[in-house]
């Protein structure tokens, strides 16, 4: 953990820690040579430090931190351990798993591998328009095999679909997008405006009375806001009825949040979101680079609307470079950064966890917490930037471990220790609780996961 934790502390850039940080256990936890558990534990320990920074500003005190490596690894597979007493939800998840099963590396005509992403129906339609085949696993594999990998990558990008050629880490390091990311820290925190310092609000929890707008979908972004909610933030998740979603992922990442619908293509609802921004502390989003700017919600625009805003952005390939506008997903980050090529050994294979997605969410939360501390001490509006590929590269930089069992999973005892049962609008839900241990303000969610659009578009 030390190397990963030290890199994250370098982003924080403050003095020596005075609190006790205890990490229990070690990798391998899952069947991979990558240190999934220890890397995730380092990220969560860093979140604990950042929470302590805010807690100290509020109270003058710091608290001890503890994290279990098995629990941290489980957090990277959180959706796997969610069970719901709802047959409709179970059926939707079976369909989603089928789409995920196709979104894996397949061989191409030139001896390479290509990963087409068909995880949502509208994305599948775009991919199929290029492959010219039916939505069938065998048909897609056969269609991919007729293409050269780079040619297919460009054709997929041309129709704004999602897919990528599998690369080694060395190939990614030589690629212009990889070179762009290699020149940047794992999390970027950029000042985008001036404002007076804002002391942390009083309250019994670290983020009490901190208001967060969550305009994200599917794992990374929602995980960021869920993390802020478990430390007391008032999180309002803003979606729109026409935007595609995966219900299972919504259930997994919406604990502690309120959810509402606003269609910002409509002037009156655009104005409503702008009014909410005026009362917000954090604006978290996961759209393509220009999508929100065209609607008046770029970082710089919101720093004018609400001086002191923390604007948190998460995407796949980063925010500069030739691929900055390409949409991507967990599987593609693993494919391009060299993770899938190394993990698979005989042929490229995806990790047994959504490591880039969840890690990016947690790293986005870490950067947001650091930015809130900067605002409290120095003032200013800040832009926090995290990406799936940068998170994948962070994992790749860590040491490797050996393992013998190809079917490793979190122990039943470890899962029982962190699983909770919640009554939700969906039905009775069994799911993982917060993973991070804090001695004075243990994380918790005060609201159950709720269907999108359940609540009013107002602040509490």
């Amino acid at each position: 953990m030390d190397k990963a934790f030290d890199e994250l502390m370098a982003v924080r850039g403050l003095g020596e820690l005075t609190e006790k940080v205890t990490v229990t256990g070690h990798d391998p936890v899952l069947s991979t040579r990558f240190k999934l558990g220890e890397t995730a534990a380092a990220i969560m320990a860093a979140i604990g430090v950042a929470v302590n920074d805010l807690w100290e500003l509020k109270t003058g005190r710091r608290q001890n931190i503890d994290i279990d490596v098995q629990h941290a690894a489980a957090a990277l597979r959180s959706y796997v351990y969610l069970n719901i007493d709802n047959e409709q939800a179970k059926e939707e998840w079976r369909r989603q798993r089928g789409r995920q099963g196709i979104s894996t590396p397949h061989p191409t005509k030139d001896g390479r591998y290509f990963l087409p992403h068909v995880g949502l129906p509208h994305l599948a339609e775009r991919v199929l328009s290029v492959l010219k085949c039916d939505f069938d696993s065998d048909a897609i594999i056969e269609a991919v095999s007729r293409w050269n990998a780079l040619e297919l990558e460009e054709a997929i990008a041309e129709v704004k679909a999602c897919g990528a050629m599998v690369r080694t880490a060395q190939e990614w390091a030589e690629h212009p997008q990889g070179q762009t990311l290699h020149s940047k820290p794992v999390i970027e925190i950029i000042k985008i405006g001036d404002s007076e310092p804002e002391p942390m609000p009083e309250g019994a929890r670290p983020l009490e009375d901190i208001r967060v707008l969550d305009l994200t979908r599917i794992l990374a972004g929602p995980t960021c806001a869920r993390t802020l909610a478990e430390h007391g933030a008032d999180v309002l998740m803003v979606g729109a009825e026409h935007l595609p979603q995966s219900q299972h992922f919504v259930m997994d990442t919406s604990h502690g949040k309120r959810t509402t619908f606003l269609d910002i293509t409509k002037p009156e609802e655009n104005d409503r979101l702008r009014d909410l921004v005026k009362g917000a502390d954090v604006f978290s989003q996961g759209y393509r680079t220009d999508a929100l700017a065209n609607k008046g919600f770029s970082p710089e625009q919101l720093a004018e609307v609400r001086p002191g805003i923390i604007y948190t952005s998460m995407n796949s390939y980063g925010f500069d470079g030739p691929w900055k506008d390409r949409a991507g997903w967990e599987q593609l980050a693993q494919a391009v950064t060299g993770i899938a090529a190394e993990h698979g050994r005989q042929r490229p294979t995806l990790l047994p966890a959504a490591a880039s997605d969840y890690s990016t969410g947690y790293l986005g939360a870490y950067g947001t917490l650091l930015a809130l501390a900067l605002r409290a001490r120095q003032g200013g509006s800040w832009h926090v930037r995290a990406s799936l590929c940068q998170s994948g590269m962070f994992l790749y930089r860590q040491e490797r471990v050996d393992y013998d069992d190809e079917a490793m999973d979190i122990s039943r005892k470890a899962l029982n220790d962190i699983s909770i049962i919640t009554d939700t609008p969906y039905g009775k839900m069994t799911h993982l609780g917060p993973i991070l241990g804090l001695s004075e303000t243990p994380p918790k969610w005060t609201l159950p996961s709720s269907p999108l659009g359940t609540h009013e578009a107002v602040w509490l």
Side-chain angles (χ1 to χ4, degrees), residues 348-401:
T349 308
L350 299 175
L351 293 170
S356 290
D357 253 328
Y358 284 113
S359 290
T360 300
Y362 287 120
L363 287 167
Y366 175 57
T368 301
L369 294 165
L370 295 181
L372 285 168
L374 286 168
R375 185 183 75 172
R377 292 192 299 264
Q378 305 175 16
S381 301
W382 300 85
H383 191 189
V384 177
R385 308 201 302 192
S387 72
L388 302 183
C389 285
Q390 192 67 268
S391 299
M393 292 159 61
F394 179 69
L395 173 64
Y396 198 94
R397 287 194 288 275
Q398 311 313 315
E399 297 175 353
R400 305 293 188 266
V401 293

Side-chain angles (χ1 to χ4, degrees), residues 292-313:
L292 288 181
N294 294 336
K295 301 294 187 295
F297 294 95
S298 72
E300 294 75 18
Q301 289 166 329
L302 293 198
E304 293 288 333
V305 172
R306 199 298 194 197
I309 194 75
I310 309 301
Y311 193 107
T312 301
S313 298

Side-chain angles (χ1 to χ4, degrees), residues 334-446:
Q334 291 189 36
V336 301
T337 59
I339 290 174
E342 181 176 328
H343 172 66
R345 298 185 181 180
Q346 301 302 317
R347 61 173 286 171
T349 308
L350 299 175
L351 293 170
S356 290
D357 253 328
Y358 284 113
S359 290
T360 300
Y362 287 120
L363 287 167
Y366 175 57
T368 301
L369 294 165
L370 295 181
L372 285 168
L374 286 168
R375 185 183 75 172
R377 292 192 299 264
Q378 305 175 16
S381 301
W382 300 85
H383 191 189
V384 177
R385 308 201 302 192
S387 72
L388 302 183
C389 285
Q390 192 67 268
S391 299
M393 292 159 61
F394 179 69
L395 173 64
Y396 198 94
R397 287 194 288 275
Q398 311 313 315
E399 297 175 353
R400 305 293 188 266
V401 293
D402 293 321
Y403 69 98
D404 298 321
D405 185 352
E406 292 293 341
M408 297 179 72
D409 203 342
I410 317 303
S411 73
R412 176 48 54 187
K413 179 184 182 306
L415 286 176
N416 288 341
D417 288 344
I418 53 176
S419 293
I420 57 179
I421 299 174
T422 305
D423 288 321
T424 79
Y426 299 103
K428 196 173 292 294
M429 183 186 297
T430 302
H431 59 94
L432 300 186
I435 306 301
L436 177 65
L438 293 173
S439 58
E440 195 171 338
T441 63
K444 63 179 180 180
W445 297 304
T446 58

Side-chain angles (χ1 to χ4, degrees), residues 38 42 59 79 109 133 139 147 152 159 167 180 182 212 219 222 224 249 251 271 297 301 306 374 381 388 424 434:
E38 292 180 47
T59 68
Y79 68 82
K109 183 172 67 174
C133 67
W147 284 80
L152 181 54
V159 298
R167 290 169 170 81
T180 299
H182 274 288
V212 178
L219 290 189
C224 172
F249 293 144
M251 290 190 291
D271 290 342
F297 294 95
Q301 289 166 329
R306 199 298 194 197
L374 286 168
S381 301
L388 302 183
T424 79

Side-chain angles (χ1 to χ4, degrees), residues 155-183:
I156 290 287
E158 184 68 24
V159 298
K160 298 189 183 302
C162 297
M165 182 180 79
V166 175
R167 290 169 170 81
T168 65
Q170 182 60 40
E171 288 175 323
W172 182 241
E174 295 169 355
H175 188 278
Q177 192 62 38
Q179 291 175 346
T180 299
L181 291 180
H182 274 288
S183 68

Side-chain angles (χ1 to χ4, degrees), residues 44 66-76 226 230 362 418 432-438 443 445:
M44 292 185 188
D66 67 86
I67 186 74
D68 184 283
V69 169
Q70 282 206 73
H71 297 169
L76 302 183
R226 185 189 68 182
E230 69 187 46
Y362 287 120
I418 53 176
L432 300 186
I435 306 301
L436 177 65
L438 293 173
W445 297 304

